[in-house]
Amino acid sequence: MTGTSVDITVERGSSNLIPNPVMESVLHNKLMELGPIPFDEADRAYAAALQKTFPPNAVEACLELYHFSEDSVHNRVDRDAPLHTGIRRYEGAPHFRAGSTDVGDVSWVTPTAQCWTATWALGTPGHSWQVVAQGKTPAAHKAMVHAAKTLAAGAAELLMNPAQMEAAKAEWRRRRGGRPYVSPIPDGVQPQPPHEVA
């Protein structure tokens, strides 16, 4: 009615993640065998110092965002610990996770599961300087090595157990419901050049 027109330019996009409870269960079992991340006192002290820079209620907001209420090791979530020292209980079903990831596109092409570990202090606001400050710490390194071990052990388990691998594939096919993968990025879109910093 106003004669307004609009041009829409799509520069990037990602598909929703197709969860695979079969593979997630395998990873959770391997994580339970491995046990909690071996944080030391220096890791906890650094995380506690960073927590003092967080906004009020950051820990509670984090726990709410990730629907984190139960732990397989401690049977509770220790809100006073600067680093999570347990293993989240696996509920057996997917739940909303904040953010986007190109792993979603991968999950449309092959059965996919992810391993999340505590690479930063409990309550760390996403996309913050506190995330960056913790990125190369010994605690973050320990957590990533823990995740790598879990993924490797999970992959080995699936490779050695063809029935379990087929169950993961069947779950993937069921969740896809015959829908093919369609990239959310239109044909012809080129990556944007990096921005120059003055």
Side-chain angles (χ1 to χ4, degrees):
M1 292 183 346
T2 64
T4 304
S5 62
V6 65
D7 292 323
I8 298 175
T9 303
V10 178
E11 296 179 349
R12 61 188 62 89
S14 57
S15 300
N16 62 307
L17 180 71
I18 299 177
N20 195 298
V22 174
M23 293 176 76
E24 290 169 357
S25 179
V26 168
L27 290 182
H28 189 265
N29 291 340
K30 294 303 172 187
L31 191 55
M32 289 296 293
E33 289 174 14
L34 202 60
I37 301 167
F39 295 125
D40 61 26
E41 191 51 45
D43 299 328
R44 288 186 285 278
Y46 184 75
L50 267 181
Q51 281 184 320
K52 293 176 183 174
T53 70
F54 296 170
N57 301 320
V59 170
E60 290 304 318
C62 175
L63 295 174
E64 183 179 327
L65 178 66
Y66 292 104
H67 307 275
F68 192 9
S69 60
E70 297 185 36
D71 186 87
S72 294
V73 176
H74 304 299
N75 294 320
R76 62 179 170 72
V77 177
D78 187 354
R79 289 163 164 72
D80 297 323
L83 289 162
H84 181 63
T85 59
I87 298 172
R88 179 189 175 134
R89 182 163 291 146
Y90 179 61
E91 298 93 356
H95 60 82
F96 170 78
R97 292 181 181 138
S100 61
T101 175
D102 54 4
V103 175
D105 293 272
V106 173
S107 74
W108 278 85
V109 178
T110 189
T112 305
Q114 300 178 87
C115 178
W116 291 35
T117 56
T119 57
W120 56 43
L122 187 60
T124 301
H127 305 284
S128 65
W129 69 264
Q130 292 97 332
V131 170
V132 176
Q134 296 173 84
K136 294 179 92 173
T137 61
H141 183 79
K142 290 171 189 173
M144 293 308 295
V145 168
H146 219 66
K149 288 178 180 179
T150 301
L151 291 168
E157 171 79 19
L158 288 165
L159 289 171
M160 293 187 298
N161 189 334
Q164 203 163 27
M165 178 70 88
E166 185 48 47
K169 290 178 182 178
E171 174 68 11
W172 174 71
R173 287 189 296 269
R174 183 186 73 75
R175 287 182 179 267
R176 279 189 53 206
R179 297 181 307 269
Y181 169 68
V182 178
S183 174
I185 304 172
D187 290 338
V189 171
Q190 297 295 313
Q192 298 297 309
H195 297 290
E196 292 185 23
V197 178

